[in-house]
Amino acid sequence: MTEIRAIVVEDEPNNRDNLLELLKKYCPDVDVIATAHSGSSGIDAILKHQPDLVFLDVEMPDGNGFDVLEKTTSVKFEVVFTTAFDHYALQAFKFCALDYLLKPIDIAELIAAIDKVKKLPPEHSSRDQFEALAHNFNNVQVQSKKIALPTRDGLIFVALTEIIRCESDGPYTTFHLTNGSVMVSKSIGEYQELLEGYNFYRVHQSHIINLNCVNKYIKGEGGNLIMADDTKIPVSRRKKEHFLSKMGEL
């Protein structure tokens, strides 16, 4: 993709003007062909102009960005979400491996997002990720949330309740699920922060476990866990006290 035909959908004039100025100054490959101030006008602009890329505000007075995506499925385009959401809401984007820009927009992050779009193959589509993101925003219960796991063949969407444990293998992480396993090309540390707010805990340098899938704790210097898949997982000595405290909170 050489020149990127883009649309900016943003209801706040100051934020919209700021993004347009940054794109003009730092992203010469981006040609903004239209702007929209609401979800409904964004839908009209996308259907009319058929853009390559949409900068999409998540929350707008007449709806949200997911409404826009739902009504423009006939058009193939990439999305960079813009949002003022807090840290916990941003996890929904990370769960689905989607790009977002936090307002006020950082120049380096904007340039990086554009570079990623430029490197995408022509056949790439993010529609499944959009659907998973909408699902996570609309379902606040932990048991309903899904995470996108990047594999060699694409993304696999897994419910958090299907994850029994994660095991480190150097720069890779294996997710052990209730119905098999998936290896992803990211380190276990990248998933620690993402999962620990959802009853997951890193009991050892090499292991993150689903606290709801612990069947038994065996006493010892650090101790060992018997998980729902019958595997035996060591608990780090320095993590023992905190782990037992976390189990007591369930």
Side-chain angles (χ1 to χ4, degrees):
M1 189 181 293
T2 52
E3 185 177 76
I4 300 173
R5 300 169 63 257
I7 289 176
V8 173
V9 183
E10 167 64 64
D11 68 297
E12 297 182 13
N14 289 342
N15 288 333
R16 187 167 62 247
D17 292 344
N18 179 56
L19 177 53
L20 291 172
E21 183 64 29
L22 292 177
L23 288 170
K24 182 179 179 180
K25 189 172 183 179
Y26 297 102
C27 305
D29 291 337
V30 177
D31 177 21
V32 179
I33 55 176
T35 62
H37 63 276
S38 65
S40 57
S41 62
I43 292 167
D44 292 341
I46 291 168
L47 294 176
K48 177 181 178 181
H49 295 285
Q50 310 270 310
D52 303 312
L53 173 65
V54 175
F55 291 92
L56 184 59
D57 191 7
V58 176
E59 287 294 336
M60 290 171 282
D62 63 339
N64 58 41
F66 310 123
D67 299 326
V68 174
L69 294 173
E70 190 176 315
K71 294 174 181 176
T72 55
T73 54
S74 61
V75 184
K76 183 178 179 297
F77 57 90
E78 296 300 325
V79 174
V80 173
F81 292 94
T82 59
T83 179
F85 278 143
D86 61 20
H87 169 75
Y88 295 102
L90 293 180
Q91 286 188 320
F93 293 98
K94 295 177 182 177
F95 269 16
C96 300
L98 284 166
D99 276 331
Y100 64 88
L101 295 172
L102 188 61
K103 303 174 189 177
I105 292 172
D106 178 82
I107 296 169
E109 291 179 358
L110 173 62
I111 294 172
I114 296 299
D115 285 343
K116 285 182 69 174
V117 171
K118 289 164 68 175
K119 292 175 182 176
L120 292 173
E123 67 275 11
H124 181 268
S125 174
S126 300
R127 282 288 168 184
D128 288 343
Q129 291 159 271
F130 299 158
E131 291 177 10
L133 180 64
H135 173 89
N136 285 347
F137 264 96
N138 293 328
N139 293 274
V140 296
Q141 297 88 356
V142 172
Q143 60 267 29
S144 298
K145 291 189 178 296
K146 293 183 178 181
I147 185 171
L149 301 181
T151 69
R152 186 180 303 173
D153 300 321
L155 293 171
I156 296 176
F157 296 91
V158 174
L160 295 187
T161 51
E162 295 178 36
I163 303 171
I164 297 173
R165 58 191 178 90
C166 307
E167 184 174 2
S168 174
D169 184 9
Y172 300 94
T173 302
T174 299
F175 281 72
H176 295 275
L177 312 174
T178 54
N179 59 348
S181 62
V182 177
M183 177 177 279
V184 300
S185 55
K186 288 187 177 182
S187 69
I188 197 169
E190 294 188 52
Y191 290 104
Q192 180 178 355
E193 181 183 358
L194 196 59
L195 292 172
E196 282 197 340
Y198 299 92
N199 287 336
F200 287 81
Y201 188 71
R202 191 170 184 176
V203 294
H204 186 275
Q205 183 178 356
S206 299
H207 300 282
I208 294 173
I209 55 106
N210 184 338
L211 295 172
N212 294 312
C213 292
V214 176
N215 282 351
K216 185 178 181 180
Y217 171 70
I218 302 172
K219 291 182 179 180
E221 188 174 12
N224 289 280
L225 304 175
I226 304 299
M227 301 300 296
D229 60 355
D230 292 326
T231 53
K232 188 176 183 180
I233 303 297
V235 178
S236 167
R237 181 176 59 181
R238 63 185 181 85
K239 293 287 188 76
K240 175 181 177 179
E241 186 176 338
H242 192 224
F243 161 72
L244 293 174
S245 173
K246 295 288 287 185
M247 287 297 294
E249 294 172 4
L250 294 180

